[in-house]
Amino acid sequence: MRIIDTHSHIYSKEFNHDRTEIITAAKKAGVCAVLLPNEDSGSIEAIHKLSDEEPDFAFPMMGLHPTSVNMGYIKELQTIETALTKRPYYAIGEIGIDLYWDRSYLKEQKIVFEEQLRWSIDMRLPVAIHIREALDEALDSIYKVGADRLRGVFHCFGGTAREWKEIAELSSFYAGIGGIITFNKNELKETLRHIPVKRVLLETDAPYLAPVPYRGKRNEPAYIIEIAKKVAECYKMTTDAIATYTFQNSLDLFNIPINNVDVEVFQYCTRDKTG
């Protein structure tokens, strides 16, 4: 079984004392690649370092996170844009709009989000989108910039069936499913019935949102197997089947080079269950 963790912050300081062990554990669990979302100018060096140390495992994104947007956003954007010219990246991310903590920078967040959406079109890269209490605002920006020219993933998706219906209109976008799916009280289990498996990616968002039975602890890529198990349960499929589908979905979106992995996508008899 091969799994790709499409969103993980294992470059962050929370892993400074045991990062090597965490990566070893992930590989033993079947994680063959991790996508690293950038946050702001302060995280670029750490992402580059880990990507250089683990070039066949850790694949960098580049973007400005919405909660890092403030009145100094122009300088931050310039730093991110410069970084994009220095080396290959596999997505523009993590970008988006977050109105959960603070609505005072909504105007600036939309400016930053839309500029980075334009970069993704120009560079032909997917986007990793973070939204929190801002789906309408994010969709407005996506359609304004050009929905038909954009592709990507709504990271840490935890929305309702109605919200997915709106996202589903964007034919080249996926739902990133993380630890929330394992929590006892959440709507995502019901929503997942409306999402075709061909539109699903797996992620941990480590060190955040650890799945049950690790909830409350530091999350790590190896725990993605618990997410895969719960997603498989929701689809009434095997964990191996979910791993295979989401593995191929991840490659289709991010186009990361996976070395020494023979990929065979099996045709499971799930059409009626998954759409």
Side-chain angles (χ1 to χ4, degrees):
M1 182 168 60
R2 301 290 183 180
I3 297 181
I4 296 175
D5 183 353
T6 61
H7 198 106
S8 184
H9 301 261
I10 57 171
Y11 58 84
S12 65
K13 63 183 180 181
E14 286 86 350
F15 297 96
N16 282 353
H17 67 288
D18 64 349
R19 187 172 291 108
T20 299
E21 292 80 4
I22 291 298
I23 291 173
T24 298
K27 291 177 179 178
K28 287 182 178 179
V31 179
C32 61
V34 172
L35 275 294
L36 307 177
N38 190 56
E39 297 170 12
D40 51 40
S41 60
S43 55
I44 295 174
E45 182 178 355
I47 281 184
H48 287 175
K49 184 175 185 295
L50 180 54
S51 300
D52 290 340
E53 291 173 347
E54 294 282 347
D56 296 325
F57 180 77
F59 299 93
M61 308 182 196
M62 184 50 56
L64 180 58
H65 193 288
T67 61
S68 294
V69 174
N70 51 42
M71 293 306 295
Y73 74 89
I74 294 177
K75 183 178 180 180
E76 280 289 298
L77 266 186
Q78 289 173 340
T79 301
I80 300 299
E81 186 174 21
T82 297
L84 281 164
T85 67
K86 301 298 185 182
R87 61 190 295 160
Y89 295 94
Y90 296 88
I92 305 294
E94 161 180 9
I95 67 176
I97 300 176
D98 189 319
L99 302 180
Y100 180 78
W101 299 107
D102 187 357
R103 302 184 66 92
S104 59
Y105 292 112
L106 172 58
K107 178 182 176 182
E108 290 78 9
Q109 284 193 41
K110 283 182 70 70
I111 291 171
V112 169
F113 182 44
E114 290 170 12
E115 179 66 8
Q116 293 180 101
L117 290 176
R118 294 187 191 97
W119 293 349
S120 77
I121 293 172
D122 292 342
M123 300 184 71
R124 298 182 180 180
L125 289 174
V127 290
I129 296 178
H130 168 114
I131 54 168
R132 200 167 184 191
E133 297 192 0
L135 178 59
D136 290 341
E137 291 82 357
L139 289 175
D140 178 69
S141 291
I142 288 170
Y143 282 107
K144 177 182 175 182
V145 172
D148 59 328
R149 296 181 294 164
L150 291 163
R151 58 194 174 94
V153 55
F154 282 81
H155 144 66
C156 196
F157 181 74
T160 63
R162 181 196 65 80
E163 290 172 326
W164 169 252
K165 185 177 180 180
E166 294 187 59
I167 293 171
E169 295 297 318
L170 305 169
S171 60
S172 298
F173 277 80
Y174 296 77
I177 306 300
I180 292 173
I181 192 67
T182 69
F183 298 173
N184 288 331
K185 295 182 179 180
N186 71 82
E187 294 183 77
L188 188 54
K189 295 185 186 73
E190 174 62 24
T191 302
L192 208 59
R193 296 195 310 108
H194 301 273
I195 305 177
V197 70
K198 64 184 178 182
R199 302 282 293 273
V200 170
L201 303 179
L202 300 182
E203 61 171 66
T204 60
D205 201 19
Y208 315 109
L209 294 173
V212 175
Y214 306 102
R215 190 175 182 182
K217 299 180 180 180
R218 181 191 66 174
N219 201 1
E220 61 180 81
Y223 297 166
I224 201 168
I225 188 63
E226 301 300 332
I227 298 167
K229 288 178 181 177
K230 183 57 68 173
V231 170
E233 180 183 310
C234 292
Y235 281 113
K236 295 181 171 59
M237 296 169 62
T238 66
T239 304
D240 281 350
I242 287 298
T244 299
Y245 275 117
T246 57
F247 184 96
Q248 187 61 50
N249 294 344
S250 302
L251 294 184
D252 290 344
L253 180 62
F254 294 109
N255 195 32
I256 58 177
I258 300 294
N259 295 330
N260 302 316
V261 175
D262 293 324
V263 181
E264 183 177 356
V265 181
F266 298 99
Q267 298 299 313
Y268 291 94
C269 299
T270 55
R271 185 181 301 274
D272 291 340
K273 296 176 183 177
T274 65

